[in-house]
Amino acid sequence: MDYILNGFVEAFRLIFSFDPEIIQIVLLSLFVSFSSTLYGTLIGVPLGILLGINNFRGKKVVSRLLYTFMSFPPVIIGLFTALFLARSGPFGQFQLMYTPTAMIIAQTILVTPVIMGIVFNHASTSGYEVVQTGKTLGAQGLDVLILLVLELKGVIMIALVTGFGRAISEVGAVMIVGGNIRGFTRVMTTFIAMNNNMGQYSVSIAMGLILMTISFITNSVLYHFIIGDQNEYQD
Amino acid sequence: MNIKTSHIVKTYKQKEVLHLEGQHGELFFESGQIHGIIGPNGSGKTTLMKIMAGLIAPSSGTVHYNDHPLCQDIFSQMTYSTHTPTLFSRSVYDNIAYPLKIRNYEKELLHQTVNQLLEEFEIKNIANQNARHLSGGESQKTALARALSFSPKVLFLDEPTANIDPKSIQLIETALKKRNRDQGLTIIIITHNLSQAFRICTHLTFLDQGICLFSDTPEKIMASTHPTIDEFISFNRF
Ligand SMILES: Nc1ncnc2c1ncn2[C@@H]1O[C@H](COP(=O)(O)OP(=O)(O)O)[C@@H](O)[C@H]1O
Ligand SMILES: [Mg+2]
């Protein structure tokens, strides 16, 4: 049992030593997951809104597909991305395999359905009413889209934070397409997995604590938005 | 704006909820009048109103506005409000200002218009409150003020005074009558309140099970001998 306690002591020492390698790993993780969340938002929010507010044949199928993709295992997505990016794959010529770009691509595929699914869900229900109401008041085209984004801004924030949470905490996809290359594609989760394999528990715990802190901060932001939405009274 | 419906039929999953054929196959809603639509629950009042407001399409039949079919220009001169309005998640003031903002009203005129409505509907005290957290009556007054802000030509109202206190009902009726008189606003209102219908309406249409049984002046409906209408009136008279 001692190694757990020692692990924690060592972990705190590591964190406050501000090891440049650790800092670099944390920053790369944040960069990759922020980027993929950003792309996921740019794709998922407009698409989710568009599909949500329109009634069309096969809407149920779309919704079911979205839910399936929302819970797709990251390793499968990593594998899928790797097949396309590998040297002999259709996008092999770009030599993206084992680069941060590949990791961003894989995570974008991972988080887009999450963001899109949440937005789609709300746009289908409350979004329809908002669109109808906006139209009866004279909103057309772009007015409607702006109105909807503003009305769904709480939901969009929740979608964004949920997507980011999924990206920053997954290990399967970044491991496969990034390869955990030291100083280049190593991120927090692959670092933890590797050190754990090597029996270096204290560094694993240290990085685990950092990861948990980041998750805590993002979730606090989320909480702030949800609660903020309920307390919108202005004086 | 005159509105004429011809042989409207609306079917939901093989269930015919509106079937306007025969004697009252054509309904005429004359411009500048206050038209009441009355009838029991589930008789198709809301469905008919949504079709006239251009919010849903009929399964068959047509609606003409001053002899023209619906187009964006006509659609944007009409508005629609219900007893469970969808207010936007912003202040009461901004809700009322919304139709003016998208019409690029000048700042000063916008402010003046909104303020007048806030005063008229006695909701100035909640002007800065988020409209998602209002009582039923406050929501309905806000929605009505918002609908009237851009001076539409036709106003559709689906039970706008359901669950509202008597004072607010009077306030709303006064506001409606004033706009009808001063601006020639055409109002089409669904109401369960028969005495309200007699107070404000100049024309009444009675629906029962998707069929129109009556469409004429309020005086004439009192003389109707149709058993369903007779029963409806005697139950609602107090
Ligand atoms: N979207 C819908 N899908 C299926 N049935 C509907 C729908 N909207 C209304 N109906 C049915 O149509 C009938 C008329 O409804 P409605 O027009 O709302 O009546 P009213 O407003 O007179 O109470 C009701 O039986 C209702 O259940
Ligand atoms: Mg109704």
Side-chain angles (χ1 to χ4, degrees):
Chain A
M1 284 302 279
D2 250 13
Y3 72 95
I4 296 181
L5 192 67
N6 286 340
F8 272 97
V9 174
E10 178 67 5
F12 277 104
R13 203 191 57 72
L14 251 174
I15 291 171
F16 291 103
S17 69
F18 298 106
D19 182 333
E21 191 188 345
I22 301 237
I23 291 176
Q24 192 266 333
I25 289 172
V26 172
L27 289 180
L28 180 68
S29 294
L30 290 174
F31 171 70
V32 168
S33 297
F34 267 129
S35 304
S36 51
T37 308
L38 178 70
Y39 296 130
T41 305
L42 292 178
I43 304 166
V45 171
L47 265 181
I49 286 181
L50 211 67
L51 293 176
I53 59 171
N54 286 304
N55 286 319
F56 55 92
R57 226 171 234 273
K59 188 169 182 175
K60 284 223 176 78
V61 179
V62 168
S63 140
R64 222 162 289 156
L65 275 177
L66 267 177
Y67 280 116
T68 309
F69 275 109
M70 278 171 90
S71 53
F72 236 49
V75 255
I76 304 290
I77 290 179
L79 190 64
F80 173 81
T81 314
L83 289 175
F84 277 82
L85 298 186
R87 204 171 276 266
S88 52
F91 299 108
Q93 72 206 72
F94 300 112
Q95 303 195 341
L96 291 174
M97 199 57 187
Y98 305 124
T99 62
T101 309
M103 296 156 76
I104 293 174
I105 292 172
Q107 287 201 344
T108 302
I109 298 174
L110 187 73
V111 302
T112 302
V114 174
I115 295 173
M116 194 167 142
I118 294 174
V119 172
F120 170 83
N121 212 355
H122 284 81
S124 312
T125 50
S126 60
Y128 179 78
E129 291 294 317
V130 169
V131 170
Q132 287 282 64
T133 306
K135 283 183 177 170
T136 63
L137 297 171
Q140 295 176 45
L142 197 60
D143 300 327
V144 179
L145 189 68
I146 293 171
L147 177 66
L148 208 51
V149 169
L150 286 177
E151 285 303 295
L152 294 178
K153 68 177 190 289
V155 169
I156 291 172
M157 274 316 297
I158 292 169
L160 225 131
V161 176
T162 310
F164 179 76
R166 180 146 153 92
I168 195 95
S169 60
E170 69 87 19
V171 55
V174 277
M175 186 69 105
I176 291 181
V177 301
N180 190 34
I181 301 167
R182 182 175 190 183
F184 186 48
T185 60
R186 184 164 295 169
V187 289
M188 289 190 277
T189 51
T190 56
F191 177 90
I192 293 172
M194 178 191 73
N195 280 293
N196 195 57
N197 279 344
M198 302 193 310
Q200 292 171 352
Y201 300 115
S202 55
V203 269
S204 293
I205 294 170
M207 196 57 99
L209 286 173
I210 297 173
L211 186 54
M212 277 168 59
T213 310
I214 290 172
S215 291
F216 177 76
I217 293 171
T218 42
N219 279 303
S220 306
V221 172
L222 177 65
Y223 190 74
H224 172 82
F225 272 101
I226 297 172
I227 295 299
D229 241 24
Q230 285 164 0
N231 289 338
E232 269 175 346
Y233 281 101
Q234 298 156 4
D235 58 322
Chain B
M1 183 149 43
N2 290 317
I3 303 178
K4 196 173 104 182
T5 73
S6 308
H7 312 290
I8 302 265
V9 174
K10 180 69 184 176
T11 314
Y12 282 118
K13 297 194 177 102
Q14 282 148 34
K15 188 182 153 218
E16 224 168 53
V17 300
L18 207 55
H19 186 100
L20 303 177
E21 292 285 4
Q23 194 198 343
H24 295 291
E26 293 194 336
L27 297 177
F28 186 64
F29 297 85
E30 196 190 346
S31 182
Q33 304 286 314
I34 303 181
H35 299 269
I37 301 178
I38 56 176
N41 285 327
S43 56
K45 304 182 295 295
T46 299
T47 307
L48 175 62
M49 178 168 279
K50 282 188 174 167
I51 290 171
M52 288 203 288
L55 295 173
I56 56 175
S59 305
S60 66
T62 55
V63 187
H64 281 88
Y65 308 82
N66 285 344
D67 298 324
H68 295 287
L70 186 65
C71 62
Q72 180 61 45
D73 182 45
I74 291 169
F75 183 77
S76 55
Q77 295 175 35
M78 310 192 295
T79 194
Y80 172 86
S81 190
T82 76
H83 60 293
T84 48
T86 302
L87 292 169
F88 305 139
S89 178
R90 51 185 84 180
S91 70
V92 166
Y93 182 99
D94 287 334
N95 265 276
I96 299 172
Y98 181 76
L100 308 178
K101 280 217 178 97
I102 55 176
R103 285 172 176 79
N104 295 315
Y105 265 52
E106 198 203 323
K107 218 173 155 190
E108 193 48 43
L109 182 60
L110 180 145
H111 191 64
Q112 200 185 324
T113 311
V114 176
N115 267 324
Q116 267 169 16
L117 286 162
L118 287 170
E119 258 164 42
E120 181 178 358
F121 286 92
E122 297 179 2
I123 45 177
K124 202 159 193 148
N125 56 321
I126 53 165
N128 296 319
Q129 206 162 305
N130 188 299
R132 283 279 172 85
H133 313 284
L134 301 178
S135 75
E138 289 168 341
S139 306
Q140 281 160 265
K141 285 194 273 185
T142 303
L144 194 57
R146 182 177 67 179
L148 290 170
S149 66
F150 66 100
S151 305
K153 293 253 168 29
V154 182
L155 175 63
F156 292 99
L157 296 171
D158 194 340
E159 299 181 36
T161 57
N163 320 314
I164 289 196
D165 64 81
K167 183 162 172 284
S168 297
I169 292 182
Q170 198 191 19
L171 193 147
I172 287 174
E173 288 179 3
T174 307
L176 294 178
K177 278 195 282 196
K178 178 170 154 239
R179 277 174 186 72
N180 172 258
R181 190 186 58 226
D182 299 351
Q183 302 167 13
L185 174 66
T186 308
I187 300 170
I188 297 160
I189 179 172
I190 296 174
T191 178
H192 268 124
N193 184 334
L194 204 59
S195 48
Q196 173 174 61
F198 285 118
R199 273 199 303 277
I200 62 173
C201 296
T202 53
H203 190 273
L204 288 178
T205 297
F206 188 100
L207 294 187
D208 180 49
Q209 297 180 35
I211 293 166
C212 178
L213 298 181
F214 175 92
S215 190
D216 211 322
T217 58
E219 295 77 44
K220 291 225 174 96
I221 203 169
M222 295 307 287
S224 168
T225 51
H226 193 292
T228 314
I229 298 178
D230 210 36
E231 187 190 73
F232 184 83
I233 289 177
S234 53
F235 262 106
N236 284 279
R237 191 175 17 213
F238 38 82

